Amino acid sequence: MKRVNISPEMKSLLISARRVAVENDATAALILADIPFNFLEVRKYLEKVRLLIASDKEDVQEAAREDGIDVVPLMDEPQTRQHQLSQALLEAIADDLLSTGDQVVAVYSVFDRDSLDSLSIVNLEEHLAKLTARDLRRLETQVPLETLRYLVDLAVEIGREGRESHKVGTLFVVGQHRKVMELSHEAVHDPFKGYKKEERLVRSQRVRESVKELACIDGAFIFSADGAAVAAGRILDAPKVNLSLSKGLGSRHWAAAAISKVTSAIAIAVSESSGTVRLFQDGRVVLRIEPMDQALKWVDIETEPPEA
């Protein structure tokens, strides 16, 4: 496969990335790549710093694998670099390539996608909680790991970003959808009704964006085990008995616990107040994911010189 060589400017950036990684005791350098660079050359300039390549492009992933470099496949390219970096970090943790608490140097392009022109140092600390492949496999019953990961990633995005600068809480229920539908009733007209199954799969970027837009409506989203959106805006009617939840959790979390208690479904609740994502199985919280650090959202700021 043809590779794109590293320009002198990119060489300087990679050498700087290595220095930043060493000075900050970073676990790895994560490169968001849109084209198949000469990754062996990239690794040479990073020297002993571990290299990860994140991309939604198949040719980039193939090139990295051919060069023996760990790959973080992205579902598809988000609208902004900050979304892409967030997704890459979540996927790397889920694949056990990174751990919470790691320092990561991210290298990416802002102005020219055929180059690399920017870098950031990201401290994951406790902001990504325990989201590992082992955690999600522990939850896997009738729900495939792939479906869980799509929905967990989507829930984390909603909890972190909200919608149009407003915090949003929502609830997903996945698995044993026929019984879940029987134990719920319609609160609003179902926006997914009438669409073919292939048009309702959560792996589709269009479906995920639709879920984000609809997250503010009352009720839960119901998904089949293979990741198809079955319905939205459903009020869950499962009895809230024999449950024990932490103080401060509201009706959404009680509904999530209740439906997971009487079915084999997994419920994923996003807290409107904090953005925290909780996964429920058999009536209890089995995984808690804190929202990513807000500092990861890049904004323009004005600075003033220090006072004399």
Side-chain angles (χ1 to χ4, degrees):
M1 178 184 297
K2 185 177 181 181
R3 312 298 173 85
V4 176
N5 291 325
I6 304 302
S7 68
E9 295 78 12
M10 289 172 58
K11 175 183 175 181
S12 297
L13 183 70
L14 292 170
I15 292 174
S16 298
R18 178 185 58 80
R19 184 174 66 252
V20 171
V22 171
E23 291 176 354
N24 290 274
D25 195 24
T27 303
L30 175 73
I31 292 184
L32 305 180
D34 293 297
I35 60 175
F37 293 111
N38 185 334
F39 293 119
L40 291 177
E41 189 178 4
V42 171
R43 187 161 58 184
K44 180 182 70 174
Y45 295 129
L46 291 172
E47 295 184 358
K48 296 182 180 180
V49 177
R50 184 185 177 196
L51 175 61
L52 304 176
I53 302 298
S55 181
D56 66 306
K57 306 293 192 300
E58 292 185 3
D59 59 338
V60 176
Q61 297 173 18
E62 182 182 351
R65 291 190 181 101
E66 287 179 355
D67 290 345
I69 297 171
D70 287 325
V71 175
V72 182
L74 302 182
M75 292 179 288
D76 44 48
E77 184 180 3
Q79 295 179 352
T80 65
R81 280 301 191 208
Q82 68 193 53
H83 290 168
Q84 192 173 22
L85 178 56
S86 299
Q87 186 186 38
L89 292 171
L90 286 169
E91 293 294 337
I93 291 173
D95 289 339
D96 290 330
L97 297 174
L98 294 175
S99 301
T100 57
D102 284 348
Q103 297 261 30
V104 180
V105 174
V107 182
Y108 47 90
S109 63
V110 172
F111 301 103
D112 182 1
R113 296 203 167 209
D114 291 341
S115 181
L116 299 171
D117 54 39
S118 304
L119 70 84
S120 298
I121 179 73
V122 181
N123 186 352
L124 299 182
E125 292 184 340
E126 298 179 354
H127 301 295
L128 291 176
K130 294 181 179 180
L131 180 60
T132 66
R134 188 179 305 108
D135 292 317
L136 293 184
R137 288 193 187 100
R138 179 166 51 86
L139 299 176
E140 187 175 5
T141 53
Q142 297 179 4
V143 182
L145 177 62
E146 180 186 23
T147 300
L148 278 176
R149 287 181 56 177
Y150 275 118
L151 289 174
V152 168
D153 286 352
L154 180 56
V156 169
E157 286 184 28
I158 292 173
R160 184 182 67 245
E161 302 167 6
R163 205 63 183 165
E164 296 181 352
S165 301
H166 296 288
K167 293 182 177 180
V168 173
T170 193
L171 175 59
F172 302 155
V173 184
V174 54
Q176 206 175 7
H177 64 278
R178 291 183 178 85
K179 186 172 182 179
V180 174
M181 290 293 287
E182 293 174 359
L183 292 170
S184 64
H185 65 273
E186 191 177 74
V188 298
H189 291 301
D190 183 6
F192 291 108
K193 189 174 183 179
Y195 287 91
K196 297 178 180 179
K197 183 176 181 179
E198 57 266 25
E199 297 175 325
R200 295 183 280 111
L201 293 172
V202 72
R203 69 173 65 96
S204 163
Q205 178 68 18
R206 181 179 179 183
V207 171
R208 293 196 297 277
E209 288 301 321
S210 296
V211 171
K212 290 181 183 180
E213 290 289 346
L214 297 167
C216 58
I217 66 175
D218 291 333
F221 292 86
I222 312 300
F223 291 89
S224 61
D226 59 1
V230 176
R234 302 288 296 188
I235 302 301
L236 303 179
D237 301 322
K240 301 175 180 62
V241 295
N242 298 323
L243 300 174
S244 179
L245 295 183
S246 301
K247 292 182 179 180
L249 295 183
S251 59
R252 179 179 294 113
H253 296 87
W254 281 93
I259 196 67
S260 72
K261 182 72 173 179
V262 298
T263 70
S264 62
I266 291 173
I268 305 172
V270 181
S271 172
E272 181 175 352
S273 59
S274 65
T276 300
V277 175
R278 292 177 174 86
L279 276 71
F280 291 81
Q281 186 178 36
D282 194 27
R284 60 190 180 88
V285 177
V286 292
L287 182 63
R288 171 176 166 168
I289 306 167
E290 296 297 336
M292 183 170 297
D293 189 357
Q294 296 299 315
L296 190 60
K297 294 188 174 183
W298 307 325
V299 296
D300 293 329
I301 59 174
E302 295 181 0
T303 58
E304 296 180 358
E307 297 181 359

